[in-house]
């Protein structure tokens, strides 16, 4: 049981984008939406889907420009990605769901919960920022990111993207992602709006995450009305792929 990029469908979204999605697992189960991180795709959650799919209707979405989804003709923003997700859920007739989001996907999940424009049940965010305004080191890191750096240090992600995408242009994608990562406007990170989230949120972090610091994550948990924190040692930014057994066990208990 996995997201395979072989038997899904496309959803027509705003600004000319076609969003690829798949549904796996128990079709009668409660919907569980997976939102991946930047330059990744839905398959990064396959270890979790294999287990959680026994009980949940697993919905995987390739963010616009990622996986098999096209980029469209608008600048990327977290607000636009939120709109994409909410549009897909409406089209699928999903009135309520759990959400698991990694990195960019976690940021979108926090925005959705704070906006209350759709009904979320429980939320898991992994390696996700809630603001960029006071994190000068990360902002500088994002500003210096280049396609050459990505190809040198994360070639498997670039290869996967170029194999799957129908309109591959990694330089253009990364340029739009970099602008989104640095956006401190209302269309960007949720910021203090996370205080408006009523749902229970499990915040997961790898203890060696170079992007999301311990202090930043604790500050997020402190602002949530019902926040839970899982910090896993010896793992980095993609802890759900590095230590899937630990993450799955905690997430299973949290969702149940």
């Amino acid at each position: 049981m996995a997201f395979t990029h072989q038997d899904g469908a496309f959803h027509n979204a705003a600004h000319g984008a076609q969003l690829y999605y798949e549904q796996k697992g128990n079709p009668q189960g409660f919907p569980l939406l997976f939102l991946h991180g930047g330059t990744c795709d839905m398959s990064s959650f396959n270890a979790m889907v294999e287990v959680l799919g026994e009980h949940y209707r697993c919905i995987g979405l390739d963010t616009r420009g990622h996986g098999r989804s096209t980029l469209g003709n608008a600048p990327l923003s977290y607000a636009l990605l939120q709109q994409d997700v909410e549009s897909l859920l409406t089209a699928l007739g999903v009135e309520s769901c759990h959400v698991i989001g990694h990195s960019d996907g976690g940021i979108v999940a926090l925005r959705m919960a704070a906006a209350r424009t759709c009904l979320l049940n429980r939320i898991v965010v992994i390696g996700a920022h809630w603001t960029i305004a006071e994190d000068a080191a990360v902002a500088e890191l994002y500003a210096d990111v280049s396609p050459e750096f990505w190809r040198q240090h994360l070639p498997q992600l670039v290869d996967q993207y170029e194999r799957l995408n129908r309109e591959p242009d990694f330089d253009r994608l990364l340029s739009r992602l970099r602008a989104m990562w640095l956006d401190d406007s209302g269309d960007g990170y949720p910021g203090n709006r996370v205080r408006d989230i009523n749902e229970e949120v499990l915040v997961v972090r790898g203890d060696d995450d170079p992007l999301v610091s311990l202090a930043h994550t604790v500050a997020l948990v402190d602002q949530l009305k019902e926040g839970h924190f899982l910090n896993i040692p010896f793992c980095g930014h993609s802890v759900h792929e590095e230590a899937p057994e630990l993450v799955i066990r905690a997430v299973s208990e949290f969702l149940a």
Side-chain angles (χ1 to χ4, degrees), residues 39-41 146-164 170:
T39 73
C40 300
D41 58 67
S146 67
E148 293 73 27
F149 174 90
W150 225 264
R151 290 187 175 94
Q152 179 180 354
H153 295 279
L154 297 165
Q156 71 280 6
L157 292 182
V158 180
D159 291 346
Q160 171 90 338
Y161 161 80
E162 293 180 340
R163 181 178 64 82
L164 290 175
F170 186 75

Side-chain angles (χ1 to χ4, degrees), residues 63-82:
T63 301
R64 63 170 59 216
H66 296 71
R68 295 192 65 193
S69 295
T70 61
L71 186 57
N73 51 31
L76 284 178
S77 71
Y78 289 116
L80 179 58
L81 300 188
Q82 175 188 345

Side-chain angles (χ1 to χ4, degrees), residues 19-179:
L19 306 180
Y20 179 80
Y21 67 94
E22 291 183 11
Q23 300 189 73
K24 296 294 173 70
N26 183 352
Q28 306 304 319
F30 191 77
L32 173 56
L33 175 67
F34 292 88
L35 301 176
H36 64 79
T39 73
C40 300
D41 58 67
M42 65 175 74
S43 66
S44 63
F45 290 110
N46 276 345
M48 301 184 76
V49 172
E50 183 176 357
V51 177
L52 297 175
E54 295 181 16
H55 303 287
Y56 297 98
R57 171 189 172 190
C58 297
I59 303 169
L61 170 67
D62 282 343
T63 301
R64 63 170 59 216
H66 296 71
R68 295 192 65 193
S69 295
T70 61
L71 186 57
N73 51 31
L76 284 178
S77 71
Y78 289 116
L80 179 58
L81 300 188
Q82 175 188 345
Q83 177 184 340
D84 286 344
V85 174
E86 292 171 351
S87 173
L88 175 64
L89 292 177
T90 298
L92 294 178
V94 175
E95 297 180 354
S96 179
C97 67
H98 299 316
V99 181
I100 299 177
H102 170 233
S103 197
D104 285 350
I107 295 165
V108 172
L110 292 173
R111 281 188 57 98
M112 291 170 62
R116 303 179 188 171
T117 49
C118 61
L119 184 59
L120 302 181
N121 194 299
R122 294 199 170 189
I123 302 156
V124 179
V125 296
I126 303 168
H129 286 98
W130 58 277
T131 181
I132 195 72
E134 299 177 1
D135 201 334
V138 172
E140 183 177 349
L141 178 64
Y142 287 156
D144 290 339
V145 163
S146 67
E148 293 73 27
F149 174 90
W150 225 264
R151 290 187 175 94
Q152 179 180 354
H153 295 279
L154 297 165
Q156 71 280 6
L157 292 182
V158 180
D159 291 346
Q160 171 90 338
Y161 161 80
E162 293 180 340
R163 181 178 64 82
L164 290 175
N165 202 262
R166 299 157 65 201
E167 301 174 355
D169 188 339
F170 186 75
D171 290 23
R172 182 176 66 147
L173 172 63
L174 194 61
S175 175
R176 294 196 187 182
L177 281 171
R178 185 169 55 235

